[in-house]
Amino acid sequence: MSKYRSHILVCVGTGCQSQESNDLIEQLKHELKSRGYEEEIQVVKTGCFGFCEKGPIIKILPEDVFYIEVKPSDAKEIVEEHIVKGRRVERLLYEEPNIQKRLEEQHDIPFYKKQIRIALRNCGLINPEDIREYIAVDGYLALGKALTEMKQEEVIKLVKDSGLRGRGGGGFSTGYKWELTYNNKNDLKFIICNADEGDPGAFMDRSILEGDPHSVLEAMAIGAYAIGAEKGYVYIRAEYPLAIHRLKIAIEQARKYGFLGEGVFGTKFNFDIELKYGAGAFVCGEETALLNSIEGGRGEPNAKPPFPAESGLWNRPTCVNNVETFANVPPILLNGPEWFNKIGTEKSRGTKVFALAGKVNNVGLIEVPMGIKMREVIFDIGGGIRDGKKFKAVQTGGPSGGCIPEELLDTAIDFESLKEIGSMMGSGGMIVMDEDDCMVNIAKFYLEFTEEESCGKCTPCRIGNRRLHEILIKITEGKGTKEDLEDLKRLGEMIKISSLCGLGQSSPNPVLSTLKYFYNEYEQHVFNKHCPAGVCTALKKYEIMSDNCKGCTLCKKVCPVECIEGNTKEAHKIDPEKCIKCGACFEACKFNAIAK
């Protein structure tokens, strides 16, 4: 293997690929070759760095210089200045807005300062398509340790002692789940990786599989050894083509190196993995629905018990863990449970990966210690609210999570604390909303999603969510009544306690949490027929404030239905009978003279 004096790491996650990072790699290689540096400088394609707002990202080692928003056309300057002359390309460094200073190194950037990367440890560091790079960062060392130094019970005890809980939403103890499957004796068992990531805007699992697929395969092999399984499946949604591509490469490489197949690590342990593709149904993230889908049946949940650990895939004991959960296992085996216990809170150990999105400055993928405050994530890591707007709410846990108001921003992020305030950890979606968002409309939006994704098997979810959605439509159209507000609460609580699976049990959370924390907005819609955020079209009412109007006629020119009257340099007026509430006048006005 060649010895390189410098490495240029380039993100080729899905986000950066969409911004020509593959072309950037080719340009960098071309510029290096044209100067005779191809044997000295290595260009490495890596997984996601997380700072998606500023992609494509490259990092140059050993200097640890971090460049953002790099284009293929920047390759020549990077090679000429940084590689040849040893000078930084200042314009590509991240500029910290609060101190207006450009920062060179990744760990100095506020977005990364409070992060601890365990599940994402190799994303942005190694080439996910080269098993040798994974081995170079202690890859498959944990599997070797488990197979050659530990009994099955010892592996299970170690994972139990670590306090690792499932990162897919339920928060169930991973070690305990392994123990239950181990204790159910059978000649055939299965271990399954749930990669059916269905939350809108979430891409935690996808990024791990794209950036570090071997860590998941290694953990599955460790888990399989612990429970006594010889066969594993990765259930992944078909619309993740890059993750599937890299998983296929990783599986073939692992087989070639003896980490999968017969006699793993020269022991008597046999284990292999197969990919199964999901068609994108949100409910298949629920483990029993997932198992039905693998068996070729409808993706519908089953009543529990029996639990999959007792009777799962083809009625055999089966352990299902999600991608992020598995990604935590190898470092826990190598570093010990005491190391993991030092991170997080008493009941929620370790870290959690979130897809931070919405009205926040730094959109991206983050991994933070359990127990960190919501405020720290949104304002310190996320850089605050876009365009100087006022924070209104943050939703955690995907479409079934609750909306958390500003007064609860100092709530610690852990399984119990989020549940106490009506939200949940979920798989890791985190959507930030500002003053321009209508919370009634937000609740309606999420109900549309869960109603669409309901498998229809149980009545509370199938019919109950439809009724909830109908009431919310009524309210956002200005036809709501006091009784509707009471029905929303009563019906939402009924659906929570009577639905068959987690989807139905959590689906009313957006409604119940917005009723609890933003009841005044519901009252405005119902009693005043007014949407304070000006979002609900039926309740919009555009008015021109004569004191501010300069009579510039711009609003009059852009109005598609000619409902604005007024002469030049005179206050204008909107005819509410003709107005179609398109908002063109509001967008065009330069003097803040139009209210909605």
Side-chain angles (χ1 to χ4, degrees):
M1 184 180 290
S2 302
K3 289 185 177 179
Y4 297 98
R5 69 174 171 87
S6 190
H7 301 266
I8 303 176
L9 312 182
V10 184
C11 174
V12 287
T14 295
C16 283
Q17 277 200 16
S18 69
Q19 298 182 71
E20 303 180 314
S21 64
N22 280 324
D23 292 341
L24 171 61
I25 288 175
E26 293 307 312
Q27 283 299 313
L28 285 167
K29 287 181 176 176
H30 171 75
E31 295 296 336
L32 291 169
K33 187 176 182 181
S34 68
R35 291 165 177 78
Y37 284 113
E38 69 269 31
E39 298 298 323
E40 293 182 48
I41 313 296
Q42 185 184 31
V43 180
V44 182
K45 56 182 180 182
T46 74
C48 182
F49 282 84
F51 204 2
C52 306
E53 181 75 25
K54 300 296 183 183
I57 287 170
I58 74 171
K59 184 177 178 179
I60 301 182
L61 300 175
E63 302 94 315
D64 202 27
V65 172
F66 197 79
Y67 291 130
I68 62 170
E69 298 177 330
V70 185
K71 300 179 179 61
S73 57
D74 296 322
K76 184 177 181 181
E77 185 179 358
I78 291 170
V79 173
E80 281 184 352
E81 290 297 311
H82 190 114
I83 302 300
V84 178
K85 299 176 182 176
R87 299 191 299 219
R88 307 295 183 255
V89 183
E90 291 286 329
R91 67 180 181 84
L92 294 177
L93 295 172
Y94 174 77
E95 182 176 351
E96 168 53 38
N98 294 328
I99 57 176
Q100 295 186 329
K101 180 184 176 184
R102 293 194 180 276
L103 305 174
E104 281 193 9
E105 299 182 5
Q106 182 179 357
H107 61 262
D108 288 332
I109 298 173
F111 179 78
Y112 291 103
K113 272 190 172 179
K114 293 192 174 182
Q115 294 196 47
I116 298 176
R117 292 165 76 89
I118 298 176
L120 300 176
R121 64 195 178 281
N122 293 326
C123 294
L125 179 64
I126 64 170
N127 181 349
E129 297 183 11
D130 189 341
I131 192 173
R132 297 171 303 172
E133 296 208 11
Y134 182 65
I135 293 171
V137 291
D138 292 339
Y140 290 105
L141 192 60
L143 176 60
K145 178 183 176 181
L147 295 182
T148 60
E149 301 176 15
M150 303 174 72
K151 296 178 180 176
Q152 291 169 278
E153 298 88 341
E154 292 174 327
V155 174
I156 291 171
K157 182 177 185 305
L158 189 150
V159 176
K160 279 179 70 177
D161 290 346
S162 75
L164 176 65
R165 297 170 64 172
R167 299 317 199 227
F172 195 75
S173 164
T174 303
Y176 188 52
K177 188 181 265 190
W178 287 15
E179 186 176 59
L180 287 174
T181 317
Y182 168 77
N183 287 336
N184 283 289
K185 303 303 178 188
N186 201 296
D187 59 347
L188 188 59
K189 297 182 182 181
F190 299 100
I191 189 161
I192 292 174
C193 174
N194 183 351
D196 192 60
E197 186 174 50
D199 292 4
F203 54 102
M204 300 78 64
D205 293 349
R206 191 194 73 202
S207 291
I208 292 171
L209 292 173
E210 289 179 356
D212 193 18
H214 283 288
S215 69
V216 177
L217 302 184
E218 182 182 11
M220 288 182 69
I222 293 169
Y225 168 70
I227 66 172
E230 293 190 352
K231 180 74 177 181
Y233 292 96
V234 178
Y235 185 85
I236 182 169
R237 46 183 48 218
E239 61 261 44
Y240 278 3
L242 184 59
I244 291 171
H245 171 69
R246 289 182 178 159
L247 270 173
K248 285 181 175 177
I249 292 173
I251 290 171
E252 284 306 313
Q253 290 177 341
R255 286 173 181 156
K256 183 179 177 183
Y257 276 71
F259 301 138
L260 291 178
E262 294 187 1
V264 178
F265 263 103
T267 67
K268 295 180 180 178
F269 173 61
N270 305 321
F271 178 64
D272 210 348
I273 293 173
E274 186 179 335
L275 301 185
K276 287 286 184 182
Y277 305 129
F282 181 69
V283 74
C284 285
E286 199 279 337
E287 58 183 2
T288 59
L290 181 155
L291 297 177
N292 286 331
S293 178
I294 291 179
E295 291 178 355
R298 290 184 57 142
E300 294 178 338
N302 298 335
K304 292 185 275 191
F307 293 93
E310 305 164 283
S311 179
L313 193 62
W314 292 296
N315 302 319
R316 307 289 184 147
T318 302
C319 180
V320 183
N321 295 121
N322 90 324
V323 172
E324 187 186 340
T325 309
F326 276 126
N328 277 281
V329 170
I332 289 175
L333 251 76
L334 291 179
N335 299 313
E338 300 80 10
W339 163 78
F340 198 69
N341 285 338
K342 291 177 182 174
I343 306 166
T345 65
E346 183 180 353
K347 293 183 178 178
S348 299
R349 309 288 191 189
T351 59
K352 180 73 190 79
V353 180
F354 287 98
L356 183 60
K359 308 284 186 65
V360 68
N361 282 314
N362 299 332
V363 169
L365 198 68
I366 63 170
E367 184 171 1
V368 292
M370 295 279 196
I372 192 171
K373 302 287 191 296
M374 209 94 64
R375 187 184 302 278
E376 295 176 88
V377 170
I378 295 168
F379 290 93
D380 296 344
I381 296 174
I385 310 303
R386 284 188 176 177
D387 303 323
K389 298 277 185 177
K390 190 174 185 302
F391 170 88
K392 179 179 275 189
V394 57
Q395 193 211 28
T396 64
S400 303
C403 296
I404 301 164
E406 185 174 12
E407 56 265 31
L408 295 176
L409 272 182
D410 290 317
T411 301
I413 297 177
D414 60 53
F415 290 101
E416 283 70 29
S417 299
L418 290 177
K419 190 176 179 181
E420 281 178 14
I421 59 175
S423 190
M424 61 183 190
M425 187 77 77
S427 61
M430 186 177 283
I431 311 291
V432 179
M433 302 161 215
D434 70 12
E435 58 190 283
D436 291 335
D437 288 302
C438 167
M439 301 313 294
V440 183
N441 191 60
I442 288 289
K444 180 166 73 79
F445 169 79
Y446 285 117
L447 250 296
E448 285 171 1
F449 179 85
T450 47
E451 182 194 357
E452 179 74 20
E453 293 294 334
S454 172
C455 72
K457 186 171 183 177
C458 73
T459 305
C461 181
R462 184 182 71 248
I463 303 299
N465 279 325
R466 184 173 299 172
R467 295 289 93 85
L468 279 181
H469 188 215
E470 288 169 353
I471 295 172
L472 288 168
I473 291 174
K474 195 176 163 188
I475 292 174
T476 54
E477 290 181 347
K479 301 170 185 174
T481 64
K482 182 182 177 184
E483 289 72 28
D484 287 328
L485 297 179
E486 295 166 356
D487 288 345
L488 274 179
K489 188 171 187 299
R490 188 168 58 249
L491 183 56
E493 290 173 345
M494 184 277 290
I495 294 170
K496 275 181 77 77
I497 60 173
S498 56
S499 292
L500 177 61
C501 77
L503 190 155
Q505 291 161 8
S506 58
S507 59
N509 281 341
V511 179
L512 295 174
S513 62
T514 50
L515 276 171
K516 182 176 182 179
Y517 299 122
F518 301 94
Y519 193 72
N520 62 322
E521 291 198 25
Y522 282 89
E523 289 180 318
Q524 287 284 321
H525 284 69
V526 171
F527 302 119
N528 299 333
K529 309 303 178 190
H530 174 61
C531 174
V535 172
C536 299
T537 303
L539 299 178
K540 282 182 180 176
K541 185 180 177 183
Y542 289 98
E543 289 180 295
I544 295 179
M545 296 178 284
S546 57
D547 290 347
N548 290 0
C549 182
K550 307 298 181 187
C552 71
T553 72
L554 193 54
C555 59
K556 187 176 176 181
K557 290 175 182 173
V558 299
C559 178
V561 293
E562 300 180 347
C563 72
I564 300 178
E565 297 178 347
N567 297 319
T568 304
K569 296 184 179 179
E570 293 180 0
H572 286 35
K573 192 174 181 181
I574 297 174
D575 182 347
E577 298 299 321
K578 294 182 180 177
C579 179
I580 59 172
K581 303 167 184 175
C582 67
C585 57
F586 182 83
E587 297 295 330
C589 182
K590 298 178 179 177
F591 304 103
N592 294 322
I594 299 179
K596 63 176 180 177

